[in-house]
PDB file of all heavy atoms in Angstrom:
ATOM      1  N   ALA A1249     -10.630  -0.010 -13.579  1.00 86.00           N
ATOM      2  CA  ALA A1249     -10.452  -0.811 -12.359  1.00 86.00           C
ATOM      3  C   ALA A1249      -9.046  -1.426 -12.334  1.00 86.00           C
ATOM      4  O   ALA A1249      -8.381  -1.424 -11.290  1.00 86.00           O
ATOM      5  CB  ALA A1249     -11.535  -1.892 -12.292  1.00 86.00           C
ATOM      6  N   ARG A1250      -8.610  -1.934 -13.470  1.00 86.00           N
ATOM      7  CA  ARG A1250      -7.238  -2.515 -13.561  1.00 86.00           C
ATOM      8  C   ARG A1250      -6.191  -1.422 -13.322  1.00 86.00           C
ATOM      9  O   ARG A1250      -5.212  -1.652 -12.592  1.00 86.00           O
ATOM     10  CB  ARG A1250      -7.019  -3.170 -14.917  1.00 86.00           C
ATOM     11  CG  ARG A1250      -7.664  -4.544 -14.971  1.00 86.00           C
ATOM     12  CD  ARG A1250      -7.141  -5.360 -16.192  1.00 86.00           C
ATOM     13  NE  ARG A1250      -7.271  -4.669 -17.464  1.00 86.00           N
ATOM     14  CZ  ARG A1250      -8.318  -4.721 -18.254  1.00 86.00           C
ATOM     15  NH1 ARG A1250      -9.344  -5.484 -17.938  1.00 86.00           N
ATOM     16  NH2 ARG A1250      -8.354  -4.032 -19.396  1.00 86.00           N
ATOM     17  N   ALA A1251      -6.380  -0.264 -13.903  1.00 80.00           N
ATOM     18  CA  ALA A1251      -5.448   0.824 -13.717  1.00 80.00           C
ATOM     19  C   ALA A1251      -5.400   1.294 -12.266  1.00 80.00           C
ATOM     20  O   ALA A1251      -4.338   1.540 -11.706  1.00 80.00           O
ATOM     21  CB  ALA A1251      -5.796   1.979 -14.640  1.00 80.00           C
ATOM     22  N   THR A1252      -6.558   1.344 -11.633  1.00 85.00           N
ATOM     23  CA  THR A1252      -6.613   1.741 -10.233  1.00 85.00           C
ATOM     24  C   THR A1252      -5.908   0.716  -9.361  1.00 85.00           C
ATOM     25  O   THR A1252      -5.169   1.093  -8.438  1.00 85.00           O
ATOM     26  CB  THR A1252      -8.108   1.912  -9.809  1.00 85.00           C
ATOM     27  OG1 THR A1252      -8.687   2.937 -10.612  1.00 85.00           O
ATOM     28  CG2 THR A1252      -8.201   2.289  -8.328  1.00 85.00           C
ATOM     29  N   ALA A1253      -6.134  -0.539  -9.610  1.00 88.00           N
ATOM     30  CA  ALA A1253      -5.460  -1.606  -8.851  1.00 88.00           C
ATOM     31  C   ALA A1253      -3.956  -1.522  -9.011  1.00 88.00           C
ATOM     32  O   ALA A1253      -3.196  -1.646  -8.041  1.00 88.00           O
ATOM     33  CB  ALA A1253      -5.972  -2.976  -9.261  1.00 88.00           C
ATOM     34  N   ALA A1254      -3.484  -1.303 -10.236  1.00 87.00           N
ATOM     35  CA  ALA A1254      -2.044  -1.173 -10.493  1.00 87.00           C
ATOM     36  C   ALA A1254      -1.474   0.062  -9.755  1.00 87.00           C
ATOM     37  O   ALA A1254      -0.404  -0.004  -9.179  1.00 87.00           O
ATOM     38  CB  ALA A1254      -1.773  -1.080 -11.970  1.00 87.00           C
ATOM     39  N   LEU A1255      -2.193   1.135  -9.770  1.00 85.00           N
ATOM     40  CA  LEU A1255      -1.751   2.379  -9.076  1.00 85.00           C
ATOM     41  C   LEU A1255      -1.695   2.107  -7.578  1.00 85.00           C
ATOM     42  O   LEU A1255      -0.747   2.511  -6.898  1.00 85.00           O
ATOM     43  CB  LEU A1255      -2.687   3.546  -9.406  1.00 85.00           C
ATOM     44  CG  LEU A1255      -2.349   4.850  -8.718  1.00 85.00           C
ATOM     45  CD1 LEU A1255      -0.954   5.329  -9.113  1.00 85.00           C
ATOM     46  CD2 LEU A1255      -3.400   5.903  -9.093  1.00 85.00           C
ATOM     47  N   ASP A1256      -2.692   1.443  -7.046  1.00 88.00           N
ATOM     48  CA  ASP A1256      -2.701   1.127  -5.604  1.00 88.00           C
ATOM     49  C   ASP A1256      -1.502   0.263  -5.233  1.00 88.00           C
ATOM     50  O   ASP A1256      -0.876   0.503  -4.196  1.00 88.00           O
ATOM     51  CB  ASP A1256      -4.000   0.417  -5.214  1.00 88.00           C
ATOM     52  CG  ASP A1256      -5.192   1.361  -5.210  1.00 88.00           C
ATOM     53  OD1 ASP A1256      -5.006   2.586  -5.245  1.00 88.00           O
ATOM     54  OD2 ASP A1256      -6.329   0.834  -5.168  1.00 88.00           O
ATOM     55  N   ARG A1257      -1.180  -0.727  -6.079  1.00 89.00           N
ATOM     56  CA  ARG A1257      -0.004  -1.576  -5.792  1.00 89.00           C
ATOM     57  C   ARG A1257       1.259  -0.772  -5.858  1.00 89.00           C
ATOM     58  O   ARG A1257       2.156  -0.905  -4.990  1.00 89.00           O
ATOM     59  CB  ARG A1257       0.067  -2.756  -6.780  1.00 89.00           C
ATOM     60  CG  ARG A1257      -0.969  -3.828  -6.503  1.00 89.00           C
ATOM     61  CD  ARG A1257      -0.722  -5.071  -7.339  1.00 89.00           C
ATOM     62  NE  ARG A1257      -0.691  -4.833  -8.766  1.00 89.00           N
ATOM     63  CZ  ARG A1257      -1.760  -4.824  -9.552  1.00 89.00           C
ATOM     64  NH1 ARG A1257      -2.965  -5.038  -9.040  1.00 89.00           N
ATOM     65  NH2 ARG A1257      -1.648  -4.614 -10.858  1.00 89.00           N
ATOM     66  N   ALA A1258       1.371   0.135  -6.820  1.00 88.00           N
ATOM     67  CA  ALA A1258       2.591   0.957  -6.930  1.00 88.00           C
ATOM     68  C   ALA A1258       2.708   1.890  -5.706  1.00 88.00           C
ATOM     69  O   ALA A1258       3.833   2.062  -5.166  1.00 88.00           O
ATOM     70  CB  ALA A1258       2.515   1.800  -8.224  1.00 88.00           C
ATOM     71  N   ILE A1259       1.615   2.449  -5.271  1.00 89.00           N
ATOM     72  CA  ILE A1259       1.694   3.303  -4.096  1.00 89.00           C
ATOM     73  C   ILE A1259       2.076   2.512  -2.862  1.00 89.00           C
ATOM     74  O   ILE A1259       2.871   3.000  -2.056  1.00 89.00           O
ATOM     75  CB  ILE A1259       0.306   4.021  -3.872  1.00 89.00           C
ATOM     76  CG1 ILE A1259       0.088   5.092  -4.952  1.00 89.00           C
ATOM     77  CG2 ILE A1259       0.235   4.632  -2.493  1.00 89.00           C
ATOM     78  CD1 ILE A1259      -1.275   5.703  -4.988  1.00 89.00           C
ATOM     79  N   ASP A1260       1.563   1.310  -2.723  1.00 88.00           N
ATOM     80  CA  ASP A1260       1.941   0.453  -1.585  1.00 88.00           C
ATOM     81  C   ASP A1260       3.460   0.135  -1.621  1.00 88.00           C
ATOM     82  O   ASP A1260       4.076   0.046  -0.554  1.00 88.00           O
ATOM     83  CB  ASP A1260       1.149  -0.851  -1.579  1.00 88.00           C
ATOM     84  CG  ASP A1260      -0.262  -0.649  -1.074  1.00 88.00           C
ATOM     85  OD1 ASP A1260      -0.554   0.421  -0.460  1.00 88.00           O
ATOM     86  OD2 ASP A1260      -1.103  -1.530  -1.346  1.00 88.00           O
ATOM     87  N   VAL A1261       4.023  -0.023  -2.820  1.00 88.00           N
ATOM     88  CA  VAL A1261       5.445  -0.322  -2.900  1.00 88.00           C
ATOM     89  C   VAL A1261       6.247   0.922  -2.571  1.00 88.00           C
ATOM     90  O   VAL A1261       7.262   0.874  -1.833  1.00 88.00           O
ATOM     91  CB  VAL A1261       5.826  -0.833  -4.307  1.00 88.00           C
ATOM     92  CG1 VAL A1261       7.322  -0.851  -4.552  1.00 88.00           C
ATOM     93  CG2 VAL A1261       5.231  -2.228  -4.508  1.00 88.00           C
ATOM     94  N   LEU A1262       5.826   2.084  -3.090  1.00 88.00           N
ATOM     95  CA  LEU A1262       6.602   3.303  -2.891  1.00 88.00           C
ATOM     96  C   LEU A1262       6.403   3.895  -1.508  1.00 88.00           C
ATOM     97  O   LEU A1262       7.319   4.507  -0.958  1.00 88.00           O
ATOM     98  CB  LEU A1262       6.135   4.349  -3.940  1.00 88.00           C
ATOM     99  CG  LEU A1262       6.481   3.990  -5.382  1.00 88.00           C
ATOM    100  CD1 LEU A1262       5.847   5.005  -6.340  1.00 88.00           C
ATOM    101  CD2 LEU A1262       8.000   3.941  -5.583  1.00 88.00           C
ATOM    102  N   MET A1263       5.238   3.697  -0.935  1.00 86.00           N
ATOM    103  CA  MET A1263       4.942   4.250   0.404  1.00 86.00           C
ATOM    104  C   MET A1263       4.280   3.182   1.256  1.00 86.00           C
ATOM    105  O   MET A1263       3.072   3.212   1.486  1.00 86.00           O
ATOM    106  CB  MET A1263       3.992   5.457   0.240  1.00 86.00           C
ATOM    107  CG  MET A1263       4.572   6.551  -0.570  1.00 86.00           C
ATOM    108  SD  MET A1263       3.582   8.041  -0.882  1.00 86.00           S
ATOM    109  CE  MET A1263       1.979   7.718  -0.302  1.00 86.00           C
ATOM    110  N   PRO A1264       5.091   2.206   1.734  1.00 81.00           N
ATOM    111  CA  PRO A1264       4.503   1.121   2.529  1.00 81.00           C
ATOM    112  C   PRO A1264       3.874   1.714   3.813  1.00 81.00           C
ATOM    113  O   PRO A1264       4.336   2.663   4.361  1.00 81.00           O
ATOM    114  CB  PRO A1264       5.690   0.231   2.837  1.00 81.00           C
ATOM    115  CG  PRO A1264       6.901   0.995   2.506  1.00 81.00           C
ATOM    116  CD  PRO A1264       6.512   2.130   1.634  1.00 81.00           C
ATOM    117  N   ARG A1265       2.824   1.047   4.210  1.00 74.00           N
ATOM    118  CA  ARG A1265       2.134   1.430   5.438  1.00 74.00           C
ATOM    119  C   ARG A1265       3.019   1.027   6.614  1.00 74.00           C
ATOM    120  O   ARG A1265       3.667   0.003   6.601  1.00 74.00           O
ATOM    121  CB  ARG A1265       0.792   0.745   5.526  1.00 74.00           C
ATOM    122  CG  ARG A1265      -0.135   1.230   4.444  1.00 74.00           C
ATOM    123  CD  ARG A1265      -1.520   0.639   4.652  1.00 74.00           C
ATOM    124  NE  ARG A1265      -2.353   1.046   3.554  1.00 74.00           N
ATOM    125  CZ  ARG A1265      -2.968   0.233   2.729  1.00 74.00           C
ATOM    126  NH1 ARG A1265      -2.874  -1.074   2.902  1.00 74.00           N
ATOM    127  NH2 ARG A1265      -3.725   0.691   1.749  1.00 74.00           N
ATOM    128  N   ASP A1266       2.975   1.811   7.654  1.00 64.00           N
ATOM    129  CA  ASP A1266       3.714   1.513   8.846  1.00 64.00           C
ATOM    130  C   ASP A1266       2.898   0.464   9.639  1.00 64.00           C
ATOM    131  O   ASP A1266       2.045   0.792  10.404  1.00 64.00           O
ATOM    132  CB  ASP A1266       3.921   2.782   9.686  1.00 64.00           C
ATOM    133  CG  ASP A1266       4.827   2.557  10.873  1.00 64.00           C
ATOM    134  OD1 ASP A1266       5.389   1.433  11.010  1.00 64.00           O
ATOM    135  OD2 ASP A1266       4.975   3.494  11.702  1.00 64.00           O
ATOM    136  N   ARG A1267       3.234  -0.779   9.388  1.00 57.00           N
ATOM    137  CA  ARG A1267       2.493  -1.882  10.017  1.00 57.00           C
ATOM    138  C   ARG A1267       2.658  -1.945  11.511  1.00 57.00           C
ATOM    139  O   ARG A1267       1.754  -2.282  12.221  1.00 57.00           O
ATOM    140  CB  ARG A1267       2.886  -3.200   9.351  1.00 57.00           C
ATOM    141  CG  ARG A1267       2.629  -3.186   7.843  1.00 57.00           C
ATOM    142  CD  ARG A1267       2.250  -4.555   7.345  1.00 57.00           C
ATOM    143  NE  ARG A1267       2.190  -4.563   5.924  1.00 57.00           N
ATOM    144  CZ  ARG A1267       1.108  -4.266   5.216  1.00 57.00           C
ATOM    145  NH1 ARG A1267       0.020  -3.894   5.811  1.00 57.00           N
ATOM    146  NH2 ARG A1267       1.123  -4.295   3.906  1.00 57.00           N
ATOM    147  N   ALA A1268       3.839  -1.552  12.018  1.00 52.00           N
ATOM    148  CA  ALA A1268       4.073  -1.610  13.458  1.00 52.00           C
ATOM    149  C   ALA A1268       3.132  -0.621  14.169  1.00 52.00           C
ATOM    150  O   ALA A1268       2.600  -0.947  15.216  1.00 52.00           O
ATOM    151  CB  ALA A1268       5.515  -1.262  13.769  1.00 52.00           C
ATOM    152  N   ALA A1269       2.888   0.520  13.575  1.00 51.00           N
ATOM    153  CA  ALA A1269       1.994   1.509  14.212  1.00 51.00           C
ATOM    154  C   ALA A1269       0.537   0.984  14.251  1.00 51.00           C
ATOM    155  O   ALA A1269      -0.164   1.255  15.223  1.00 51.00           O
ATOM    156  CB  ALA A1269       2.054   2.839  13.459  1.00 51.00           C
ATOM    157  N   SER A1270       0.184   0.230  13.261  1.00 52.00           N
ATOM    158  CA  SER A1270      -1.235  -0.248  13.261  1.00 52.00           C
ATOM    159  C   SER A1270      -1.416  -1.436  14.207  1.00 52.00           C
ATOM    160  O   SER A1270      -2.478  -1.643  14.733  1.00 52.00           O
ATOM    161  CB  SER A1270      -1.653  -0.649  11.820  1.00 52.00           C
ATOM    162  OG  SER A1270      -0.887  -1.730  11.411  1.00 52.00           O
ATOM    163  N   VAL A1271      -0.323  -2.190  14.492  1.00 52.00           N
ATOM    164  CA  VAL A1271      -0.440  -3.289  15.413  1.00 52.00           C
ATOM    165  C   VAL A1271      -0.274  -2.843  16.878  1.00 52.00           C
ATOM    166  O   VAL A1271      -1.042  -3.241  17.748  1.00 52.00           O
ATOM    167  CB  VAL A1271       0.664  -4.358  15.115  1.00 52.00           C
ATOM    168  CG1 VAL A1271       0.668  -5.454  16.156  1.00 52.00           C
ATOM    169  CG2 VAL A1271       0.432  -4.927  13.736  1.00 52.00           C
ATOM    170  N   TYR A1272       0.659  -1.921  17.114  1.00 51.00           N
ATOM    171  CA  TYR A1272       0.911  -1.443  18.433  1.00 51.00           C
ATOM    172  C   TYR A1272       0.528   0.025  18.544  1.00 51.00           C
ATOM    173  O   TYR A1272       1.374   0.909  18.731  1.00 51.00           O
ATOM    174  CB  TYR A1272       2.387  -1.596  18.792  1.00 51.00           C
ATOM    175  CG  TYR A1272       2.860  -3.039  18.724  1.00 51.00           C
ATOM    176  CD1 TYR A1272       3.602  -3.464  17.683  1.00 51.00           C
ATOM    177  CD2 TYR A1272       2.469  -3.917  19.713  1.00 51.00           C
ATOM    178  CE1 TYR A1272       4.012  -4.816  17.613  1.00 51.00           C
ATOM    179  CE2 TYR A1272       2.873  -5.262  19.655  1.00 51.00           C
ATOM    180  CZ  TYR A1272       3.619  -5.673  18.607  1.00 51.00           C
ATOM    181  OH  TYR A1272       4.022  -6.968  18.548  1.00 51.00           O
TER     182      TYR A1272
END
C-alpha cells in the first residue's frame, strides 16, 4: 500500500492531470 501510494504520487508529479480540462 505504501509503495502504491508512492508510485501514485510519482506519476502525479511526472504526468500531472490537466485540471483545466476537468473544470471546463
Side-chain angles (χ1 to χ4, degrees):
R1250 282 194 306 270
T1252 300
L1255 179 60
D1256 287 346
R1257 286 190 302 274
I1259 287 172
D1260 284 344
V1261 168
L1262 295 173
M1263 300 178 351
R1265 294 186 184 121
D1266 187 6
R1267 301 213 187 271
S1270 65
V1271 174
Y1272 300 105

